[in-house]
mmCIF file of all heavy atoms in Angstrom:
data_model
loop_
_atom_site.group_PDB
_atom_site.id
_atom_site.type_symbol
_atom_site.label_atom_id
_atom_site.label_comp_id
_atom_site.label_asym_id
_atom_site.label_seq_id
_atom_site.Cartn_x
_atom_site.Cartn_y
_atom_site.Cartn_z
ATOM 1 N N ASP A 1348 -163.134 -54.507 72.157
ATOM 2 C CA ASP A 1348 -163.566 -54.648 70.782
ATOM 3 C C ASP A 1348 -162.622 -55.580 70.033
ATOM 4 O O ASP A 1348 -161.494 -55.370 69.793
ATOM 5 C CB ASP A 1348 -163.533 -53.194 70.185
ATOM 6 C CG ASP A 1348 -163.987 -53.282 68.724
ATOM 7 O OD1 ASP A 1348 -164.266 -54.448 68.125
ATOM 8 O OD2 ASP A 1348 -163.994 -52.237 68.046
ATOM 9 N N GLU A 1360 -164.444 -50.024 80.372
ATOM 10 C CA GLU A 1360 -165.292 -50.773 81.358
ATOM 11 C C GLU A 1360 -166.691 -50.367 81.481
ATOM 12 O O GLU A 1360 -166.942 -49.162 81.204
ATOM 13 C CB GLU A 1360 -164.516 -50.656 82.766
ATOM 14 C CG GLU A 1360 -164.198 -49.254 83.150
ATOM 15 C CD GLU A 1360 -163.369 -49.199 84.420
ATOM 16 O OE1 GLU A 1360 -162.231 -49.617 84.388
ATOM 17 O OE2 GLU A 1360 -163.914 -48.799 85.507
ATOM 18 N N LYS A 1501 -157.265 -89.375 70.221
ATOM 19 C CA LYS A 1501 -156.299 -89.037 71.272
ATOM 20 C C LYS A 1501 -155.306 -87.933 70.720
ATOM 21 O O LYS A 1501 -154.614 -87.260 71.471
ATOM 22 C CB LYS A 1501 -155.414 -90.291 71.654
ATOM 23 C CG LYS A 1501 -156.221 -91.349 72.206
ATOM 24 C CD LYS A 1501 -156.087 -91.219 73.745
ATOM 25 C CE LYS A 1501 -156.952 -92.231 74.424
ATOM 26 N NZ LYS A 1501 -156.725 -92.404 75.752
ATOM 27 N N LYS A 1518 -159.663 -105.193 74.568
ATOM 28 C CA LYS A 1518 -158.291 -104.742 74.178
ATOM 29 C C LYS A 1518 -158.361 -103.419 73.405
ATOM 30 O O LYS A 1518 -159.317 -103.203 72.672
ATOM 31 C CB LYS A 1518 -157.712 -105.816 73.273
ATOM 32 C CG LYS A 1518 -156.900 -106.798 74.004
ATOM 33 C CD LYS A 1518 -155.988 -107.498 73.018
ATOM 34 C CE LYS A 1518 -155.213 -108.620 73.759
ATOM 35 N NZ LYS A 1518 -155.168 -109.767 72.983
ATOM 36 N N GLN A 1649 -195.427 -62.972 94.522
ATOM 37 C CA GLN A 1649 -195.608 -64.366 94.485
ATOM 38 C C GLN A 1649 -195.118 -64.997 93.161
ATOM 39 O O GLN A 1649 -195.878 -65.296 92.291
ATOM 40 C CB GLN A 1649 -197.098 -64.767 94.644
ATOM 41 C CG GLN A 1649 -197.466 -65.169 95.954
ATOM 42 C CD GLN A 1649 -199.029 -65.285 96.001
ATOM 43 O OE1 GLN A 1649 -199.727 -65.411 95.026
ATOM 44 N NE2 GLN A 1649 -199.566 -65.323 97.231
#
Side-chain angles (χ1 to χ4, degrees):
D1348 178 358
E1360 52 185 72
K1501 298 267 178 168
K1518 267 201 187 135
Q1649 258 172 20

